[in-house]
Amino acid sequence: MKSSRVYAIILASGKGERLNCGFPKQFLTIKDKTLVEYAIEAFEKNKNVDSIIVVIEPASREKLCGILAKTHYTKVSGIVDGGKTRFESSVNGVNAVPEKGVKVLIHDAARPFVSQRIIDDTIQALDKYQAVETAIRATDTIIERNDEFMLSATTVRARMMQVQTPQGFSLEVIKMAQEMAKKDKNLEATDDCGLVFKYGICDVFVVEGERQNIKITYPEDILFANYVVNALNF
Ligand code: CTP
Ligand code: MG
């Protein structure tokens, strides 16, 4: 897969219900930019990324276009409609990639502070692997519970990791995983690499993420976002 072209797909079609800020959270402004701009800019800046596709709900398309019109981004090559779930939005983004044999990175617009190191490591790992996950070491011990809220499984914390994005794939692998997922009656798809693993399509390599690569999910996460931008000068 060496030197194949790289597409970044930015998923920005969620409603942000847990953040509940009155509008979709990707349009939340931290200092001088919206979350979706931070996310796009990370891939715009990266010299190994060739093209960016943004997935957005139709009702917000105009708003996004208005924001992009004020920027100098040159890599945004497509804006496509999102779906009802993250999985559907991800499928729409992948289907919008116009060429074969490329590397695809899928990233949450709600993760504004992804580093160039993570993007580079993911792209580089795709020279060797066809699916690459970003994850950080869990700090809390992870347990599993059943529907009755009884502990049903324990885990060894040292091996537990929490999943982030970007997640990288060869285009053909993610397409195959998504096709299989469409037929899956027990689909729980919050993690694209998880599909590749679940259907045994290929090995999935894990790149170390960063705690700063937070997904803005709950109101208190905005405090951290302001800290990153203002105190750390992101
Ligand atoms: N996403 C998407 N299409 C959807 C749902 C989610 O593109 N139908 C995107 C979100 O915009 C976000 C990413 O997937 O960038 C991660 O999802 P999440 O954090 O769950 O965002 P929301 O779904 O917007 O938030 P919530 O679940 O609280 O409503
Ligand atoms: Mg969601």
Side-chain angles (χ1 to χ4, degrees):
M1 289 212 70
K2 240 187 189 114
S3 76
S4 36
R5 282 166 58 78
V6 177
Y7 280 78
I9 296 171
I10 310 292
L11 300 180
S13 196
K15 299 235 178 296
E17 279 168 1
R18 286 168 290 179
L19 191 71
N20 196 21
C21 66
F23 50 84
K25 64 185 177 184
Q26 47 275 18
F27 295 115
L28 184 76
T29 298
I30 304 290
K31 200 171 174 183
D32 56 352
K33 277 195 292 269
T34 57
L35 295 185
V36 66
E37 285 171 276
Y38 281 99
I40 294 172
E41 209 164 287
F43 294 88
E44 171 79 24
K45 262 203 310 225
N46 189 284
K47 58 182 185 330
N48 298 311
V49 172
D50 298 291
S51 197
I52 300 170
I53 293 169
V54 186
V55 184
I56 191 84
E57 57 163 352
S60 297
R61 176 181 277 263
E62 226 179 275
K63 188 167 179 178
L64 177 71
C65 290
I67 289 171
L68 292 181
K70 294 196 193 107
T71 66
H72 298 98
Y73 304 156
T74 59
K75 294 183 184 173
V76 178
S77 61
I79 299 175
V80 301
D81 290 349
K84 280 194 292 295
T85 61
R86 185 187 182 283
F87 171 69
E88 285 177 27
S89 295
S90 182
V91 168
N92 291 358
V94 168
N95 285 340
V97 175
E99 51 182 315
K100 293 196 174 103
V102 295
K103 295 173 179 173
V104 172
L105 308 185
I106 300 176
H107 184 66
D108 297 328
R111 292 186 194 274
F113 308 129
V114 57
S115 69
Q116 296 301 305
R117 197 277 302 159
I118 292 177
I119 298 173
D120 286 340
D121 283 3
T122 303
I123 294 171
Q124 197 184 19
L126 284 171
D127 286 340
K128 190 162 173 202
Y129 303 96
Q130 291 189 293
V132 179
E133 180 128 76
T134 303
I136 53 169
R137 290 158 202 255
T139 50
D140 294 323
T141 298
I142 309 279
I143 57 160
E144 195 177 295
R145 52 115 179 135
N146 62 19
D147 289 342
E148 287 74 45
F149 260 83
M150 298 302 286
L151 179 64
S152 56
T154 59
T155 64
V156 178
R157 190 178 66 195
R159 300 182 76 83
M160 289 301 117
M161 300 193 81
Q162 288 174 250
V163 169
Q164 300 186 329
T165 66
Q167 298 189 8
F169 308 90
S170 68
L171 179 64
E172 287 62 37
V173 159
I174 187 61
K175 279 200 163 170
M176 190 188 297
Q178 292 183 336
E179 281 312 311
M180 293 173 87
K182 282 181 198 164
K183 298 177 199 132
D184 189 338
K185 287 189 190 72
N186 302 312
L187 183 63
E188 292 264 351
T190 54
D191 168 20
D192 303 284
C193 277
L195 301 176
V196 173
F197 179 78
K198 183 176 181 189
Y199 307 128
I201 294 172
C202 64
D203 290 339
V204 180
F205 182 70
V206 181
V207 159
E208 291 253 10
E210 288 164 15
R211 298 188 64 77
Q212 192 175 302
N213 184 24
I214 184 178
K215 179 160 69 66
I216 307 299
T217 306
Y218 291 104
E220 51 271 35
D221 297 334
I222 298 173
L223 291 173
F224 181 76
N226 275 305
Y227 166 73
V228 172
V229 171
N230 294 311
L232 303 185
N233 231 349
F234 184 85

